[in-house]
Amino acid sequence: MTDSSDNSGGAAPIDGVDGLVAGVEKKMSELMAWHESRSEAFASEKKRHEDELTQERKALAIAQQEAEQARQRCQDKIASADRQREQLRRAAEALQARQATLEEELAAARDARRKAEQTTAELERQRTRAADQTQRLIDAIAGLDDAEVVIGEVTPTRRSKRNKQRARKAA
């Protein structure tokens, strides 16, 4: 194309068009260089952000894994505590049962002791009575006492005449 077809007012100098084209080319080169530097800066910044994001994702994955491990350890501790609580509950029940048994045994032992003390007291009374009777018998045989000699308190029973006779003699 020529300048005469584009310009309706007259012919433009060739230097002016060439200068204009050279100026536009220069500006286009500057614009392309600026665009390239901006694209490189953007790509560099994009790469840096991607690297940071990758590092953050790795850190997050590690943190999530640690959190999962901590959660698992916590669940294990809870399960262990539950098992220990159950064992302690069973042990407490066993101890309560043992305590009840021991309390029953203690009550039985106290009752047996009370009965033994009663038996001992009764035996002591019988021994004392027997000693008194023996002493009276000895005194009667020796002639020291004028009282009648009674060997024992015998009560007649219906079973035999012989027991009745013994009771009369003793009286």
Side-chain angles (χ1 to χ4, degrees):
M1 256 200 203
T2 63
D3 284 345
S4 59
S5 61
D6 287 338
N7 287 336
S8 52
I14 295 182
D15 280 343
V17 172
D18 286 339
L20 184 63
V21 168
V24 167
E25 284 178 353
K26 182 180 174 187
K27 286 291 182 184
M28 283 297 286
S29 292
E30 289 173 4
L31 183 62
M32 290 303 287
W34 177 85
H35 178 69
E36 251 183 66
S37 72
R38 294 306 307 153
S39 292
E40 287 175 4
F42 177 75
S44 173
E45 191 172 329
K46 180 181 173 187
K47 175 71 173 146
R48 186 180 55 80
H49 285 298
E50 285 175 351
D51 291 344
E52 287 175 2
L53 184 60
T54 300
Q55 291 299 322
E56 287 177 11
R57 285 181 179 159
K58 286 178 182 177
L60 181 61
I62 290 170
Q64 285 176 335
Q65 185 179 17
E66 289 172 353
E68 178 61 28
Q69 289 171 350
R71 185 188 64 78
Q72 185 62 43
R73 284 191 306 271
C74 185
Q75 284 181 341
D76 292 345
K77 286 180 181 179
I78 289 170
S80 175
D82 287 344
R83 285 189 303 273
Q84 288 176 346
R85 185 181 314 115
E86 181 62 24
Q87 288 173 344
L88 288 174
R89 185 190 61 76
R90 280 186 261 143
E93 287 174 357
L95 285 174
Q96 287 174 345
R98 180 68 178 142
Q99 182 179 6
T101 301
L102 289 174
E103 286 173 359
E104 290 173 4
E105 290 174 359
L106 178 61
R110 284 181 178 162
D111 187 47
R113 181 178 181 179
R114 183 185 53 78
K115 288 178 181 177
E117 287 172 353
Q118 288 174 347
T119 302
T120 301
E122 178 61 29
L123 288 173
E124 184 61 28
R125 280 192 299 274
Q126 288 177 7
R127 188 195 66 74
T128 303
R129 192 172 60 217
D132 289 345
Q133 288 176 353
T134 303
Q135 188 60 45
R136 275 186 275 147
L137 183 58
I138 291 171
D139 289 346
I141 291 173
L144 301 174
D145 191 11
D146 293 334
E148 219 176 90
V149 177
V150 177
I151 294 177
E153 295 180 21
V154 179
T155 56
T157 60
R158 295 183 195 168
R159 291 188 192 160
S160 79
K161 292 180 184 178
R162 194 173 187 185
N163 285 341
K164 288 180 186 178
Q165 290 171 354
R166 284 185 190 163
R168 283 188 205 136
K169 287 182 183 177

